[in-house]
């Protein structure tokens, strides 16, 4: 179609006659410009192009065909191609080897149809002028237009504007490549645009049905094409796009909810989600969906994203492309879905980091899921909600197990609290809901009252995990530290009396110092364990008891709130009695171990052992001074005395009975009966250990 450039080129090359011959198709105008013999010029061009095409085809056949690339033909082929275009002779053009591709053929067809329509207009003008002249005088038609449609039987016939019928000629072209490319679906799409809305609608619906039925990624290229095509059509012709029909075979619910555009985007997003290298494009195409589908689709995608860099990218894109605030609801779906996943069907995914030593891969995935809510401060309250949800799940997995079992030291929840969660989790969550300025508080369904309850819940569980760690450390220390050892005898019968007395005193001091060192180890571990366990039992407001009851109706009546309440009750009923028994065990084992210290001393030193033990007990009494008289009160007040720990165990009864802690409500009849028996045993043991006559007469 670049006639002006072509004529200038041949004119510059010294062939002005050729340039003049190419401009013969200009119609004659009122100012006298144009070709008065236009019809004859076209007839001659058609005749010359047909003869030249025959010669060019003969030359092409003799030199062989090369379908893999464009090749150069004799100048006759190109000259014939130009003349066939100028004379609207599409049949001659499609037989010319210079028209090598489908695009060349389309150009020839469209130019021919346009030229034929132009000739029809000129003939109509001629007929009207002649008729007007015959009826009442007037002007005869301009020279060059005085012919009718029947004067030339070899004139090309058009399709009266029916481009669909005109383009069918490409499928019958003698050029093999044009025939092959005419069946290409992408070129069929271009054809449908040329033909009209009916063809375009049929093409889109057919291609969409094929893409939606495809079960593998082999058709991904075509899926991408048809998806972008329907997006373009929806932009320029939204009403037309709404008329596109869904593929047959879909259920009634799908047909009532989704449009063809929506289904194709969902399919394409699913393809993008399956390719890690295409993840940066998922958010963009998801944003083209309706809000409900954005929530479900992007949530399903984010569950499969595990790398920190990829998570930050995906979340930032969601905040940039989706409606404001939608990212919070998406993350709630994602984290809850990962926390409540089915452990039995776990399978590690591509790009997922390995688990820490001692942590099951499925537990590691659940722990890392909370990081989704730790990138932006406004997500802090939701991070606390989901962190508590996961901690409850960890604890519930130990409900009903043997309380004497260490349960692998509750290693997973401890790692989660100590190494996975940010240290300022509670601070950020509370600040977001309880800002000094009400306008600064982030709006959302989590009220300040609920955050206070979540804070108390988190601190309750954290205190239990810390206490359990101290408890396990105590058991390990008492198992590895023996209370008994043999004194190093420094006395034999050959020494003088005064030397013997000095040696005896040195031996007793050395023995006592050894016992003191052993006692310090056990007493230190026992103190840590008992203090942390006591903190659990005396937790302000009650362990795992909601701190604030001023909640909204939604926060009380929602399914999640009811499930949380049931879980807290189940954990309290299991872990409170367990914590009481753990504390009793610490106190009892410490007392028993210290009794072994006393018995070992009494067995080896007999009469001197009483003073040795009282001195030992005095060194552990905070109010005792070296010049104070040793009294029997040390049997109860000294931390190295068994009676101190038995008395402390008896005080457990008051802690459990305190209504403010609500501990006794978690005991069933069997557990309470067992606890009371333990208290009775400690009362007996306390009496035994505080009776000096019985205690030192071992």
């Amino acid at each position: 179609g670049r006639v002006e450039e072509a004529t200038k080129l041949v004119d510059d090359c010294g062939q002005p006659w050729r340039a003049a011959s190419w401009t013969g198709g200009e119609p004659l105008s009122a100012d006298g410009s144009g070709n008065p013999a236009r019809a004859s010029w076209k007839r001659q061009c058609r005749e010359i192009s047909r003869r030249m095409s025959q010669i060019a085809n003969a030359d092409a056949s003799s030199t062989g065909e090369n379908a893999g690339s464009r090749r150069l033909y004799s100048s006759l082929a190109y000259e014939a191609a130009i003349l066939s275009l100028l004379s609207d002779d599409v049949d001659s053009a499609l037989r010319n080897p210079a028209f090598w591709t489908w695009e060349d053929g389309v150009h020839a067809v469209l130019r021919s149809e346009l030229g034929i329509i132009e000739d029809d207009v000129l003939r109509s003008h001629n007929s009207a002028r002649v008729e007007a002249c015959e009826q009442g005088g007037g002007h005869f038609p301009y020279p060059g237009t005085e012919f009718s449609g029947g004067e030339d039987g070899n004139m090309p016939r058009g399709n009266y504007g029916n481009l669909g019928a005109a383009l069918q000629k490409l499928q019958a072209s003698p050029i093999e490549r044009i025939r092959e490319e005419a069946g290409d679906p992408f070129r069929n799409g271009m054809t449908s645009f040329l033909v009209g809305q009916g063809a375009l609608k049929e093409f889109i619906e057919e291609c969409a049905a094929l893409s939606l039925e495809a079960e593998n990624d082999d058709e991904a290229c075509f899926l991408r094409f048809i998806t972008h095509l329907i997006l373009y059509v929806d932009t320029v012709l939204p009403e037309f796009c709404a008329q596109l029909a869904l593929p047959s075979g879909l259920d009634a619910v799908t047909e009532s909810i989704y449009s063809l555009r929506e289904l194709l985007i969902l399919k394409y997003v699913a393809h993008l989600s399956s390719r890690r290298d295409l993840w940066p494009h998922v958010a963009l195409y998801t944003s083209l969906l309706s809000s409900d589908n954005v929530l479900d689709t992007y949530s399903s995608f984010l569950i499969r994203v595990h790398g920190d860099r990829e998570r930050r990218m995906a979340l930032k894109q969601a905040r940039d492309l989706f409606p404001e605030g939608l990212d919070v609801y998406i993350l709630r779906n994602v984290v809850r879905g990962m926390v409540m996943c089915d452990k039995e069907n776990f399978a590690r995914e591509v790009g997922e980091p390995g688990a820490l030593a001692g942590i099951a891969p499925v537990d590691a995935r659940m722990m890392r899921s909370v990081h989704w809510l730790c990138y932006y401060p406004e997500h802090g309250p939701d991070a606390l909600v989901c962190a508590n949800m996961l901690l409850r799940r960890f604890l519930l997995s130990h409900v009903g197990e043997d309380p004497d079992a260490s349960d692998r030291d509750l290693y997973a929840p401890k790692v989660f609290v100590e190494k996975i969660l940010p240290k300022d989790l509670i601070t950020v969550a509370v600040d977001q809901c309880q800002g000094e300025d009400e306008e600064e508080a982030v709006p959302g369904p989590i009220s300040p009252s609920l955050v206070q309850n979540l804070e108390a819940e988190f601190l309750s569980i954290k205190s239990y995990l810390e206490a359990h760690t101290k408890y396990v450390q105590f058991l390990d220390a008492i198992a590895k530290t023996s209370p008994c050892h043999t004194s190093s005898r420094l006395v034999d019968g050959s020494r003088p009396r005064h030397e013997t007395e000095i040696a005896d005193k040195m031996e007793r001091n050395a023995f006592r110092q050894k016992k003191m060192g052993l006692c310090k180890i056990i007493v230190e571990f026992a103190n840590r364990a008992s203090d942390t366990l006591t903190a659990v039992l005396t937790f302000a407001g009650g362990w795992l008891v909601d701190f604030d009851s001023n909640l909204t109706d939604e926060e009380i009546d929602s399914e999640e709130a009811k499930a949380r309440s049931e879980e807290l009750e189940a954990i309290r009923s299991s872990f409170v009695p367990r914590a009481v028994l753990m504390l009793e065990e610490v106190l009892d084992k410490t007392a028993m171990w210290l009794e072994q210290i006393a018995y070992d001393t009494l067995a080896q030193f007999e009469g001197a052992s009483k003073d040795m033990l009282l001195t030992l007990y005095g060194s552990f009494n905070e109010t005792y001074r070296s010049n104070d008289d040793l009294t029997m009160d040390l049997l109860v007040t000294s931390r190295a005395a068994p009676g101190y720990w038995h008395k402390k165990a008896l005080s457990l009864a008051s802690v459990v009975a305190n209504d403010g802690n609500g501990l006794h409500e978690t005991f069933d009849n069997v557990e309470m009966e067992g606890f009371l028996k333990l208290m009775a045993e400690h009362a007996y043991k306390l009496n035994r250990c505080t009776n000096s006559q019985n205690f030192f007469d071992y």
Side-chain angles (χ1 to χ4, degrees):
R2 297 157 63 183
V3 178
E4 292 184 3
E5 296 181 27
T7 54
K8 184 177 185 304
L9 176 62
V10 296
D11 187 59
D12 293 341
C13 293
Q15 298 179 1
W17 56 271
R18 179 168 292 180
S21 68
W22 289 349
T23 57
E26 185 71 21
L28 187 66
S29 62
D31 60 3
S33 61
N35 184 6
R38 181 172 180 273
S40 299
W41 175 83
K42 278 199 170 187
R43 284 193 295 270
Q44 292 300 319
C45 286
R46 284 193 292 273
E47 184 64 27
I48 294 172
S49 69
R50 289 170 183 171
R51 294 184 180 183
M52 286 184 174
S53 294
Q54 293 174 356
I55 299 174
N57 281 323
D59 293 342
S61 300
S62 63
T63 56
E65 293 185 358
N66 183 5
S69 61
R70 182 180 289 276
R71 60 192 295 266
L72 293 176
Y73 299 96
S74 63
S75 60
L76 283 177
Y78 299 102
E79 188 74 25
I82 294 173
L83 293 177
S84 63
L85 290 177
L86 294 176
S87 61
D88 309 324
D89 190 358
V90 66
D91 295 329
S92 176
L94 293 180
R95 288 193 297 269
N96 192 318
F99 287 90
W100 190 67
T101 66
W102 178 84
E103 286 77 8
D104 295 335
V106 171
H107 174 67
V109 170
L110 295 180
R111 184 179 177 89
S112 172
E113 289 294 315
L114 180 62
I116 292 172
I117 291 174
E118 185 180 39
D119 286 344
D120 288 342
V121 172
L122 291 175
R123 279 193 293 271
S124 298
H125 174 70
N126 172 72
S127 299
R129 294 287 294 274
V130 170
E131 183 178 354
C133 180
E134 291 177 348
Q135 292 179 355
H139 299 286
F140 193 75
Y142 292 114
T145 65
E146 60 279 67
F147 62 88
S148 64
E151 291 184 358
D152 187 357
N154 294 325
M155 290 180 60
R157 302 299 180 188
N159 292 275
Y160 305 102
N162 186 350
L163 291 181
L167 292 171
Q168 289 294 325
K169 295 181 179 180
L170 298 178
Q171 298 180 0
S173 172
I175 307 299
E176 181 179 0
R177 176 161 180 171
I178 293 180
R179 293 197 305 273
E180 292 178 352
E181 293 180 345
D184 178 62
F186 299 106
R187 291 180 171 84
N188 286 339
M190 289 185 271
T191 300
S192 66
F193 270 93
L194 295 173
V195 173
Q197 289 191 7
L200 179 60
K201 183 176 184 294
E202 181 181 354
F203 173 77
I204 292 177
E205 291 174 352
E206 180 181 355
C207 293
L210 293 174
S211 297
L212 293 173
E213 292 175 359
E215 298 294 338
N216 52 49
D217 290 339
D218 295 339
E219 303 296 332
C221 181
F222 190 65
L223 173 63
R224 180 172 65 249
F225 163 73
I226 193 62
T227 302
H228 287 83
L229 175 60
I230 202 170
L231 288 174
Y232 169 74
V233 172
D234 182 60
T235 302
V236 296
L237 298 171
E239 296 180 357
F240 168 77
C241 189
Q243 299 173 2
L244 295 174
L246 294 173
S248 59
L250 297 178
D251 57 83
V253 176
T254 302
E255 292 181 353
S256 63
I257 297 177
Y258 299 105
S259 64
L260 185 61
R261 171 186 179 276
E262 198 89 347
L263 286 177
L264 283 172
I265 297 176
L266 287 171
K267 178 82 172 181
Y268 188 55
V269 169
H271 165 67
L272 296 176
S273 301
S274 67
R275 294 269 304 274
R276 192 178 181 189
D277 56 318
L278 299 179
W279 283 359
H281 307 291
V282 174
L284 174 62
Y285 288 92
T286 304
S287 66
L288 302 175
L289 297 167
S290 62
S291 296
D292 291 340
N293 282 331
V294 168
L295 183 62
D296 295 337
T297 303
Y298 209 63
S299 298
S300 300
F301 163 65
L302 293 187
I303 287 178
R304 303 175 55 190
V305 180
H306 302 287
D308 182 74
R309 182 181 62 83
E310 293 166 328
R311 285 184 171 184
R312 291 180 182 273
M313 176 269 296
L315 182 54
K316 183 179 184 304
Q317 289 180 337
R319 291 167 66 88
D320 293 341
L321 297 172
F322 299 164
E324 185 178 359
L326 189 59
D327 58 304
V328 177
Y329 296 95
I330 291 174
L331 293 183
R332 287 173 181 169
N333 282 355
V334 170
V335 180
R336 283 167 171 78
M338 298 179 74
V339 167
M340 305 308 296
C341 67
D342 185 1
K343 291 188 175 184
E344 295 181 358
N345 297 325
F346 171 81
R348 186 175 176 185
E349 297 176 348
V350 177
E352 185 172 5
L356 296 174
I359 299 295
V362 63
D363 290 341
R365 176 185 293 181
M366 291 190 294
M367 294 178 192
R368 289 192 298 266
S369 68
V370 182
H371 283 170
W372 274 116
L373 295 164
C374 298
Y375 294 123
Y376 294 93
E378 55 266 35
H379 299 158
D382 288 285
L384 183 57
V385 171
C386 293
N388 287 351
M389 188 181 298
L390 181 54
L391 287 172
R392 292 197 302 273
R393 182 173 187 184
F394 282 141
L395 294 184
L396 286 170
S397 65
H398 297 288
V399 170
E401 294 183 353
D402 183 5
D404 295 332
S406 63
D407 300 328
R408 294 188 63 189
D409 299 337
L410 296 172
Y411 185 63
K414 292 176 183 177
V415 170
F416 180 56
V417 171
E418 296 171 4
K419 297 183 179 181
I420 303 299
L421 291 177
K423 303 302 181 184
D424 59 347
L425 174 66
I426 292 180
T427 302
V428 173
V430 173
D431 289 346
Q432 289 299 313
C433 291
Q434 296 179 341
E436 295 182 1
D437 186 352
E438 293 184 357
E439 296 181 356
E440 295 179 359
V442 175
I446 300 179
S447 66
S449 297
L450 178 56
V451 167
Q452 288 184 358
N453 290 340
L454 295 172
E455 178 185 5
E457 177 187 347
F458 181 82
L459 294 177
S460 294
I461 297 176
K462 183 179 180 182
S463 67
Y464 181 87
L465 296 176
E466 292 174 350
H468 189 274
T469 298
K470 302 301 182 184
Y471 166 75
V472 173
Q473 291 173 351
F474 164 78
L475 294 181
D476 182 65
I478 205 168
K480 294 179 179 179
T481 307
S482 174
C484 301
H485 73 280
T486 303
S487 173
S488 301
R489 292 292 179 178
L490 302 178
V491 180
D492 55 34
S494 61
R495 293 178 180 271
R497 180 179 177 182
H498 69 280
E499 290 184 3
T500 300
E501 292 177 353
I502 294 174
D504 286 340
K505 186 175 182 180
M506 292 177 62
E507 180 184 350
R508 291 193 298 271
N509 287 338
F511 186 85
R512 181 171 54 80
Q513 292 294 332
K514 177 70 173 178
K515 294 298 186 187
M516 183 185 299
L518 296 174
C519 288
K520 284 183 177 180
I521 295 174
I522 298 303
V523 168
E524 182 65 25
F525 279 102
N527 272 330
R528 293 175 183 174
S530 63
D531 289 347
T532 53
L533 286 168
T534 301
V536 170
L537 300 178
T538 58
F539 192 88
W543 190 75
L544 283 188
V545 176
D546 281 342
F547 181 80
D548 194 338
S549 59
N550 297 323
L551 303 177
T552 63
D553 292 340
E554 181 181 355
E555 292 170 342
I556 297 175
D557 299 332
S558 67
E559 293 297 328
E560 185 171 295
K562 293 178 181 178
R564 172 178 176 269
S565 179
E566 293 174 359
E567 291 173 356
L568 291 179
E569 185 62 29
I571 295 173
R572 273 180 55 81
S573 298
S574 176
F575 282 83
V576 168
R578 187 177 302 188
V580 172
L581 293 178
M582 287 164 57
L583 178 54
E584 187 277 332
E585 182 183 4
V586 169
L587 300 175
D588 184 62
K589 286 190 174 182
T590 303
M592 297 299 293
W593 190 91
L594 292 173
E595 284 189 48
Q596 291 297 321
I597 289 285
Y599 297 156
D600 189 40
T601 304
L602 291 168
Q604 296 190 53
F605 291 92
E606 299 178 350
S609 59
K610 179 177 180 180
D611 291 337
M612 291 175 61
L613 288 174
L614 290 176
T615 302
L616 173 64
Y617 296 160
S619 63
F620 281 85
N621 191 337
E622 297 178 355
T623 62
Y624 172 76
R625 297 177 183 176
S626 58
N627 58 350
D628 289 346
D629 294 332
L630 299 175
T631 66
M632 293 302 160
D633 292 341
L634 292 173
L635 296 179
V636 177
T637 60
S638 173
R639 290 180 298 157
Y644 172 86
W645 298 95
H646 287 306
K647 182 179 180 181
K648 197 169 183 180
L650 276 175
S651 66
L652 259 178
S654 299
V655 176
V656 172
N658 187 350
D659 291 334
N661 299 327
L663 303 182
H664 59 87
E665 299 172 355
T666 64
F667 284 74
D668 58 26
N669 293 335
V670 175
E671 291 170 336
M672 182 57 71
E673 183 179 352
F675 174 71
L676 294 177
K677 287 182 179 180
L678 291 175
M679 294 299 100
E681 292 177 5
H682 280 291
Y684 170 77
K685 293 176 182 178
L686 177 61
N687 181 63
R688 184 189 65 198
C689 292
T690 55
N691 187 324
S692 60
Q693 184 176 358
N694 294 333
F695 185 72
F696 293 111
D697 287 346
Y698 171 75

